[in-house]
């Protein structure tokens, strides 16, 4: 058998590891920040009706410009945006990949601020873009001064911010994004995958788009919108940016079924987002209950919590898994990350964690299985 090392693979891909969040079948899966509430049945019926209609013309290629979907996304985003400002792909990961295909690539670099979403550096490497790491301030924040200093130091072609940041939950202020934009001639991307979980009335980078043609705000239907399995991500930017992305996207990249399903779901965005307040309440419950168990959660503006004070993250991860609760070890020493689930799932997580005993000594090995 040929091994990966024997293949004539690109030299820059040798020794790389793929994205690999475990996909175990467990009772309580709180590891990839999905909305764990199912799609409401009435919405599901409307989506199915739209899919049924789309199937009747599936012999033809789909609308390459996915105009109806872009209209739906623009209406959902508001802020005076129209279809010309909106682009979409099979998950925001594909949107980010298209951005680096168009604006990164060999000989170019993208600046990110770890710890951050692991896919940002993986997409950089897959597109042959050099990944350069910027330093954060205390508490994982990025001040305007820090952003400008790191841009001046590394002179990147593209800057990636993640706000709120995965896995820390930290927001990036609009003044930091404005300062970064002014400090570079390159593209500035704000990954707002968790924007719907921001505190009510909190401004998003969408408010900065006017007059900033190099600013791109990426979003996804995978998190708050309860649509992870459908694979729909999108971005808002100046119309000229979508012209650039048309140069690198594959023709007809969004299937007729994806377009139909997403357009139908967007017609019911109120119902699709009805659980967001519930999820925020469960996040806040995790934030208040973890200290009582001896753990140190970080403030979170998203649907997950990173918590410190874990003596042995790998052991605690395994002990929780043995109790049917899957969370995430993101590789930051003495921390673990958990997504806020339904009330019952969140209770199951907190009870399983409490049953492990004193966090400073690692999980108890006496599992009552
Ligand atoms: C989950 C996540 C995404 C979503 O990716 P999709 O491809 O849209 O499912 C994007 N960015 C961040 C920071 C995420 O955590």
């Amino acid at each position: 058998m040929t091994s990966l090392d024997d293949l004539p693979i690109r030299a820059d891909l040798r020794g790389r590891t793929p994205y690999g969040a475990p996909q175990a079948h467990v009772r309580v899966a709180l590891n990839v920040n999905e909305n764990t509430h199912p799609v409401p049945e009435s919405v599901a019926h409307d989506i199915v009706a739209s899919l049924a209609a789309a199937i009747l013309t599936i012999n033809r290629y789909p609308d390459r410009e996915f105009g109806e979907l872009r209209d739906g996304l623009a209406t959902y985003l508001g802020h005076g945006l129209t279809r010309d400002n909106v682009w979409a792909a099979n998950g925001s990961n594909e949107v980010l990949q298209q951005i680096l295909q168009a604006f990164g690539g060999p000989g170019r670099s993208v600046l990110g601020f770890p710890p951050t979403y692991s896919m940002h550096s993986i997409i950089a490497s897959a597109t042959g873009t050099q990944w350069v790491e910027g330093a954060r301030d205390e508490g994982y924040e990025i001040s305007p001064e820090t952003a400008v200093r790191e841009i001046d130091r590394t002179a990147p072609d593209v800057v990636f911010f993640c706000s709120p940041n995965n896995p820390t939950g930290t927001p990036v202020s609009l003044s930091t994004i404005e300062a970064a934009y002014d400090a570079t001639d390159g593209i500035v991307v704000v990954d707002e995958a968790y924007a719907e979980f921001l505190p009510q009335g909190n401004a998003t980078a969408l408010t900065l788009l006017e007059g900033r043609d190099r600013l791109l705000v990426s979003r996804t239907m995978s998190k708050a919108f309860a649509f992870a399995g459908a694979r729909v991500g999108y971005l808002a930017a100046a119309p000229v940016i979508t012209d650039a992305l048309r140069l690198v996207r594959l023709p007809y990249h969004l299937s007729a079924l994806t377009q139909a399903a997403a357009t139908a779901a967007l017609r019911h965005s109120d119902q699709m987002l009805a659980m967001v307040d519930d999820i925020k309440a469960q996040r806040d419950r995790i934030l208040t209950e973890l200290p009582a168990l001896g753990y140190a959660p970080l403030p979170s503006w998203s649907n997950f919590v990173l918590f410190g004070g874990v003596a042995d993250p790998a052991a605690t991860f395994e002990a929780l898994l043995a109790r049917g609760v899957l969370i995430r070890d993101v590789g930051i020493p003495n921390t673990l990350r958990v997504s806020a689930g339904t009330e019952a799932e969140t209770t199951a997580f907190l009870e399983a964690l409490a049953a492990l005993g004193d966090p400073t000594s690692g999980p108890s090995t006496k599992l009552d299985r």
Side-chain angles (χ1 to χ4, degrees):
M1 268 290 280
T2 312
S3 84
L4 187 52
D5 287 336
D6 301 326
L7 290 176
I9 195 172
R10 267 162 45 188
D12 61 322
L13 292 181
R14 273 188 201 286
R16 299 272 182 181
T17 41
Y19 176 83
Q23 282 202 301
H25 286 284
V26 291
R27 189 166 53 88
V28 180
L30 300 175
N31 65 326
V32 285
N33 303 339
E34 296 147 331
N35 181 338
T36 66
H37 300 258
V39 170
E41 204 166 319
S42 58
V43 180
H45 283 303
D46 193 33
I47 294 172
V48 168
S50 294
L51 288 171
I55 283 282
L56 295 175
T57 54
I58 206 88
N59 55 310
R60 299 288 185 179
Y61 281 113
D63 174 9
R64 199 170 50 217
E65 289 296 315
F66 47 102
E68 221 188 326
L69 174 57
R70 285 158 73 207
D71 282 342
L73 290 167
T75 303
Y76 171 70
L77 286 176
H79 291 87
L81 299 168
T82 71
R83 73 158 68 174
D84 294 335
N85 300 107
V86 175
W87 185 254
N90 299 282
S92 55
N93 281 302
E94 188 178 65
V95 174
L96 297 173
Q97 176 171 281
Q98 291 173 343
I99 292 169
L100 288 188
Q101 284 176 321
F103 298 105
R108 294 190 165 206
S109 65
V110 53
L111 170 67
F113 293 85
T116 193
Y117 183 43
S118 61
M119 278 309 298
H120 288 172
S121 55
I122 293 175
I123 294 168
S125 108
T127 57
T129 314
Q130 189 196 352
W131 171 251
V132 293
E133 304 199 332
R136 287 176 180 264
D137 306 319
E138 206 62 24
Y140 298 115
E141 299 200 353
I142 310 170
S143 69
E145 297 72 28
T146 296
V148 171
R149 186 194 66 221
E150 294 303 281
I151 288 169
D152 288 347
R153 184 176 68 79
T154 60
D157 299 284
V158 181
V159 182
F160 274 0
F161 290 110
C162 187
S163 181
N165 185 50
N166 178 7
T168 61
T170 329
V172 179
S173 73
L174 296 190
S175 51
T176 292
I177 294 161
E178 284 183 88
Y181 187 89
D182 292 339
T184 178
D185 294 330
I187 295 291
V188 176
V189 180
V190 187
D191 183 339
E192 289 195 346
Y194 301 97
E196 288 90 346
F197 298 103
L198 286 169
Q200 208 73 44
N202 219 268
T204 93
L206 294 175
T207 60
L208 298 178
L209 285 174
E210 183 83 47
R212 291 186 180 83
D213 285 356
R214 294 175 288 109
L215 179 63
L216 285 55
V217 181
S218 88
R219 296 280 189 101
T220 181
M221 293 179 75
S222 295
K223 304 292 160 64
F225 217 89
F227 225 48
R231 311 303 301 125
V232 184
Y234 54 102
L235 71 71
V240 66
I241 295 294
T242 63
D243 290 338
L245 300 181
R246 278 185 191 89
L247 299 174
V248 297
R249 63 93 174 266
L250 296 173
Y252 317 106
H253 68 290
L254 273 179
S255 84
L257 300 181
T258 303
Q259 295 185 39
T263 304
L266 285 161
R267 284 198 295 267
H268 304 276
S269 49
D270 286 355
Q271 272 171 282
M272 295 295 282
L273 294 174
M275 291 300 161
V276 165
D277 285 342
D278 258 45
I279 295 164
K280 286 197 217 170
Q282 295 310 314
R283 171 201 64 200
D284 292 344
R285 195 177 146 216
I286 296 171
L287 289 172
T288 43
E289 293 193 21
L290 281 181
L293 297 177
Y295 295 95
L298 268 77
S300 172
W301 296 49
S302 52
N303 67 339
F304 56 83
V305 174
L306 184 73
F307 57 98
V310 189
D312 186 346
T316 299
F317 172 89
E318 288 299 338
L320 288 172
L321 190 54
R323 290 166 184 270
V325 179
L326 178 63
I327 65 168
R328 191 82 183 272
D329 182 353
V330 293
I332 304 175
N334 302 114
T335 69
L336 286 169
R337 191 194 71 191
V338 63
S339 315
T342 61
E343 183 174 5
E345 289 167 333
T346 305
T347 300
F349 159 69
L350 290 167
E351 286 180 358
L353 193 63
L356 301 184
D358 181 3
T360 56
S361 60
S364 156
T365 48
K366 293 194 293 295
L367 287 178
D368 46 353
R369 274 184 274 182

